[in-house]
Amino acid sequence: MISKSHLVFLAAVLLVASSRAFAQAKDTVQLGTVVVSATKVPKPAATLSQAVTVLLGDDLRARGITRVTDALREVPGAAMVQTGSFGGITSLFLRGGESRYTKVLIDGVPVNAPVGSFDFSHLTTDNIDRIEIVRGPASVLYGADAVTGIVQIFTRQGSEQNRASLGVRGGTYHSLDFDGDAVGSSPLGGFSLGAAHHSTNGIIPFNNEYRNGTLSSALTLAQGASGDAKVSARYTTAEFHFPTDFTGQPVDTNSYRVQHRLTVGLDAGRNLTPNVQARLLAGNNDVWDLSEDIAVPFGATAPQHSASRSRGYRRDVEGRFVFFLPTDATVTVGGTYEKEHENSSNASGNVGAPTTETDSFDASRHNVAYYSELLGNLTDRLSYTVAGRVDDNSDYRRFATYRLGLNAVVIPALRIRASLSTAFNAPAFNELRPTLFTVGSPDLRPEKSRSAEIGLATNFHPELFRLSAGYFNQRFSDLIQFVNGGPPNFLGSFANLTGATSNGFEGELEVTPVRNWRGTASYTIVNPHVTQVDPGYEGSDRAGDELIRRPTHSGSFVLSYSRPRGVSVGAALNYVGKRPDTDFSQFPSPRVTLAAYTKTDVSAEYPLTGRKYGGLTVNARVDNIFDKRYQEVFNFATPRRTILIGGRASTRF
C-alpha cells in the first residue's frame, strides 16, 4: 500500500524540483545517452525499462573525485558505507538490498568475490571513461550477484588526438596524489594508459596509513565495418594499516592488510552479415590478500605473529549472436562459462620464529548459463524487453531468471517505463563447505528476489529541464543466515532462514538554467526490513526489523559552473538519513541508531595557460567543508574537513 507520505514525496519532487540544480549524472530521460550495461546491445537510455545513471570520468576528475566510492554517493538509492578511514572496507547497499547484491564489472569482467560482495575501498577513477549504474535486478543478463543492480566501470578507449597529462596534489592527513595518463592512436589502434599513486596517513594518529597504486590500459585492436576488438587491463595494489578492532577502538599498532588485483578483459565482435553479429567476451579477475598482525592472544603471555593469506579468481568466457530483424526487433542468444576459485590459510607463531599453518580452505566451482533477449518496438512510441536465462552451477541447483519490460510515450514529452524481474545470489564457498568453525551446508538454495518497478520521465525542454521519478517493490527470499552449533564441537552451519522486502521511491532532476550552469538533485525513500523468520532461526532479527546501515531517506544536490577552456567550480551536498546499526562493543550486541547527517564538498579548477595545445591548471577540493562529525559504521570515526590543492600539466603530441 502506498502511504500518504509517499504520495506527498512524489508531489514535492514534481512541484519543487525545478528550483534545484545539477551534477555529473545523465539520467534515463536522455535519448542521446547510449547505455551498454542494461541490455546486451547498446540502447538509448530513455528507451529502457530500467533506471540507469551514467557518470562521466572527465566530469568526476574535474571535480577532484579520485575514488569511485565518492562518485556513487550521488547516485539515487546508493548507500555507501566505509569502515573508518581511507582504505577501510567500503560496501554499497543499492536500493536497500544486501551489500552482496550488486554486481560490479570492469570492462565487462565480474570482480565480485564468490560470496557476491565487493570492497570499493581500492577502486579509483584513474583512467575511467564512464561508470554505468543500472538500478534493479540484472541476473537475467549477468547471473548471480546482480540482485539489486550492477555497477560497470569502463576504461578510456583512446582518441584520434594524442595527448598526455600529469597531475599532483596534496593536503590534509599528509595526503599526496600523483597521476599520469596518455590517450591517442597508434598503428595498432586507439590506446589509453594511466598510472596513479595515492597515499595518506589516515585519520587516526597511529598505524592508519593507506597507499594505493593503480595501472590501467586499453587498446582497440580493430574497429570498422567488419568488426571490432578491444583489450583492457587494470592492476591495483593497496596497503591499509588499521589500528581499530571490531568495535572501532584504536588498540593495535601494527596490523595491516595488502591486496593485489589484476583484471584483464577482451571484447571482440564480427559482423557476419548486415543483420547478424557475433561477439566473444573473455575475462579474468585475480585477487591476492594478505593480513598480518603481532599481538598477545587471549591466554598467551608472549606476542605472536599471525598471518592470513587468500587468493580468489573468476575466469569467464561468453559468446553470443545478435540478430537484427526487419521487424524493428533485436534478438540476442548467448551462453557463458565461468569458473570461480578461492583458497585461504591462516598461520601463527612466536615473533622471530617461523609461523605454522593452523587451517586452510580450498574450493572451486563452475557455472554454465544460457540466455536470450528480445528487444523491439511495437510502434515508434512503445518499446519492449523480454529476456530469460538459465544458470547451471556445480554447487547448487539449476536456477532460472527472467525480465519483462515496457517503455512508452504517453504524451509527446512524457515517458512511462515498467518492468518485472527476478534475480538470485549464489551461496558462498564457506557456506556450502566445512571450515574450521562450521560444518558444510551443501543443500543451501540461492537467495532469490522478485522486483517490480514503474517510473515516469519528462522531456519538455531537454536542453533546460529533465525530471524522472519511480517506484520499486523488491521481495527477497531464502536469505542465508548463520546457525549456532551445539555440543560437542559447537560448529555452526548456514541455512535459508529469512525473507525481506525493500520498497521505495526515487526522484531525479537535471536542469541547465543558464549558460555554463548545470545542476542535479535526487531523493530516495526506501524501507528495507525483515518480513519473515524461519522457526529454526536463532539470530536477533525479527519480522519488522529494519535492515542495518541502510537509510530510509537519502538525497544529493550538485551545482556546477564551467566555462570552455576556463574556470570551473562545483559544490555537492549529500544527505544520509537515520539508519540502524549494531553495537559490537557489548554482548549481546544491541541495536543502535546512527544520526542523520549532511556532508558538503566543493571544488574548483582554474587554467593558468590556454588549453588549445595543452596547458597548466591549478585545482582545489574541500571535502566536508563544514567539518561535520558523523559515522557510517557505529563507533568508527570518519574523515573531518579535508583540503587538497594541486595542479595538472597537459600537452598534445
Side-chain angles (χ1 to χ4, degrees):
M1 180 68 66
I2 299 177
S3 69
K4 186 178 295 184
S5 63
H6 289 155
L7 294 175
V8 170
F9 159 68
L10 283 178
V13 168
L14 293 170
L15 291 174
V16 307
S18 58
S19 65
R20 304 286 186 175
F22 161 90
Q24 319 315 335
K26 315 295 183 188
D27 64 26
T28 57
V29 299
Q30 286 189 276
L31 281 169
T33 300
V34 175
V35 176
V36 301
S37 300
T39 57
K40 285 297 183 180
V41 295
K43 296 287 289 185
T47 65
L48 298 171
S49 59
Q50 308 103 292
V52 180
T53 298
V54 180
L55 306 175
L56 301 181
D58 287 342
D59 290 343
L60 298 173
R61 286 184 291 271
R63 292 170 51 200
I65 295 177
T66 60
R67 302 190 307 157
V68 171
T69 296
D70 294 328
L72 294 179
R73 293 182 191 277
E74 298 169 9
V75 174
M80 301 301 306
V81 176
Q82 178 175 301
T83 308
S85 184
F86 312 102
I89 294 174
T90 306
S91 303
L92 167 61
F93 299 89
L94 190 59
R95 282 187 167 179
E98 299 291 321
S99 60
R100 60 185 183 273
Y101 283 180
T102 301
K103 191 147 196 170
V104 183
L105 304 102
I106 298 178
D107 294 314
V109 181
V111 296
N112 297 67
V115 69
S117 60
F118 179 77
D119 179 7
F120 282 86
S121 60
H122 309 318
L123 188 55
T124 67
T125 61
D126 300 302
N127 205 33
I128 286 179
D129 176 65
R130 70 189 188 280
I131 307 171
E132 293 185 0
I133 303 97
V134 180
R135 305 193 298 280
S139 284
V140 73
L141 299 182
Y142 296 98
D145 314 331
V147 179
T148 55
I150 66 169
V151 174
Q152 181 152 205
I153 312 294
F154 292 93
T155 304
R156 289 190 290 183
Q157 296 297 323
S159 170
E160 294 181 357
Q161 295 180 335
N162 296 342
R163 60 184 188 272
S165 69
L166 182 66
V168 61
R169 69 175 187 176
T172 311
Y173 303 120
H174 293 90
S175 299
L176 188 60
D177 299 327
F178 291 99
D179 72 273
D181 58 67
V183 295
S185 59
S186 70
L188 291 176
F191 69 88
S192 73
L193 298 169
H197 179 76
H198 308 278
S199 65
T200 176
N201 284 354
I203 65 176
I204 298 175
F206 66 96
N207 193 40
N208 205 208
E209 298 86 1
Y210 176 64
R211 308 287 183 264
N212 179 301
T214 297
L215 299 173
S216 175
S217 65
L219 176 63
T220 302
L221 299 174
Q223 193 165 16
S226 61
D228 61 274
K230 299 174 184 177
V231 178
S232 63
R234 190 177 188 91
Y235 172 74
T236 299
T237 178
E239 181 177 310
F240 174 52
H241 293 249
F242 57 101
T244 49
D245 60 12
F246 67 97
T247 69
Q249 296 304 307
V251 296
D252 200 318
T253 60
N254 54 58
S255 59
Y256 73 96
R257 61 174 174 260
V258 176
Q259 182 182 94
H260 301 272
R261 181 186 296 271
L262 175 62
T263 306
V264 180
L266 167 68
D267 184 352
R270 179 76 176 179
N271 297 321
L272 304 179
T273 73
N275 297 318
V276 180
Q277 182 188 74
R279 297 206 70 83
L280 174 68
L281 295 89
N284 180 72
N285 179 69
D286 265 284
V287 183
W288 299 264
D289 285 289
L290 167 67
S291 297
E292 288 194 287
D293 191 18
I294 296 176
V296 180
F298 179 77
T301 58
Q304 288 194 338
H305 169 222
S306 61
S308 298
R309 293 176 172 84
S310 66
R311 183 201 176 193
Y313 65 73
R314 300 180 77 146
R315 295 170 182 167
D316 61 280
V317 61
E318 175 182 350
R320 65 175 180 257
F321 292 95
V322 183
F323 303 91
F324 301 95
L325 305 182
T327 56
D328 200 16
T330 302
V331 175
T332 302
V333 179
T336 68
Y337 174 84
E338 181 179 55
K339 182 178 180 180
E340 296 176 289
H341 177 79
E342 179 182 349
N343 64 64
S344 61
S345 64
N346 296 311
S348 63
N350 294 328
V351 175
T355 59
T356 302
E357 186 174 290
T358 56
D359 63 274
S360 63
F361 180 83
D362 191 286
S364 297
R365 68 184 176 199
H366 64 268
N367 188 83
V368 178
Y370 307 94
Y371 65 84
S372 181
E373 180 183 54
L374 171 63
L375 306 173
N377 299 307
L378 294 177
T379 70
D380 59 354
R381 301 167 66 93
L382 177 62
S383 60
Y384 62 88
T385 301
V386 179
R389 178 183 176 112
V390 175
D391 283 82
D392 195 351
N393 195 281
S394 60
D395 260 0
Y396 50 87
R397 297 176 184 174
R398 185 175 298 172
F399 202 89
T401 51
Y402 67 85
R403 174 192 290 159
L404 304 173
L406 289 174
N407 186 302
V409 178
V410 291
I411 60 175
L414 182 66
R415 282 181 174 267
I416 185 172
R417 57 175 176 80
S419 66
L420 177 66
S421 308
T422 59
F424 75 102
N425 188 64
F429 282 128
N430 61 356
E431 294 169 344
L432 293 162
R433 294 169 173 79
T435 69
L436 185 65
F437 305 103
T438 61
V439 297
S441 304
D443 295 329
L444 284 177
R445 301 181 301 276
E447 299 172 310
K448 58 187 179 182
S449 78
R450 189 275 304 148
S451 177
E453 64 179 287
I454 186 169
L456 295 172
T458 66
N459 205 22
F460 292 106
H461 290 285
E463 72 284 1
L464 298 176
F465 174 92
R466 296 184 179 95
L467 175 67
S468 65
Y471 168 76
F472 56 88
N473 181 293
Q474 302 172 118
R475 183 178 64 201
F476 311 118
S477 57
D478 288 337
L479 271 68
I480 297 172
Q481 302 286 347
F482 179 76
V483 179
N484 291 318
N489 52 24
F490 295 94
L491 294 178
S493 62
F494 293 90
N496 300 96
L497 294 177
T498 58
T501 63
S502 182
N503 309 326
F505 296 89
E506 296 170 341
E508 298 178 82
L509 171 72
E510 178 182 346
V511 295
T512 311
V514 292
R515 185 179 180 184
N516 301 326
W517 286 93
R518 302 177 70 189
T520 58
S522 68
Y523 201 84
T524 301
I525 297 176
V526 63
N527 181 28
H529 63 276
V530 177
T531 56
Q532 182 180 0
V533 177
D534 188 274
Y537 177 66
E538 299 178 359
S540 59
D541 292 340
R542 295 291 178 265
D545 285 353
E546 295 179 301
L547 301 180
I548 66 170
R549 298 178 183 172
R550 277 149 277 194
T552 301
H553 294 265
S554 62
S556 69
F557 169 68
V558 188
L559 180 67
S560 67
Y561 171 81
S562 179
R563 297 180 59 184
R565 297 183 295 277
V567 64
S568 64
V569 294
L573 181 151
N574 288 289
Y575 169 75
V576 177
K578 294 187 296 183
R579 59 254 179 251
D581 204 348
T582 305
D583 181 4
F584 290 107
S585 65
Q586 302 182 51
F587 182 82
S589 301
R591 283 206 165 202
V592 294
T593 299
L594 297 177
Y597 68 90
T598 300
K599 187 169 83 72
T600 306
D601 310 321
V602 297
S603 62
E605 186 177 60
Y606 183 79
L608 299 178
T609 62
R611 297 184 179 181
K612 185 175 181 180
Y613 300 104
L616 182 65
T617 62
V618 294
N619 55 69
R621 179 175 175 83
V622 184
D623 284 335
N624 195 8
I625 190 171
F626 298 117
D627 204 24
K628 178 70 176 180
R629 290 179 178 269
Y630 63 97
Q631 291 183 346
E632 294 183 349
V633 177
F634 184 69
N635 273 344
F636 282 81
T638 51
R640 303 289 297 275
R641 183 189 296 117
T642 305
I643 302 173
L644 298 167
I645 300 174
R648 177 171 297 277
S650 59
T651 185
R652 295 182 181 178
F653 61 94

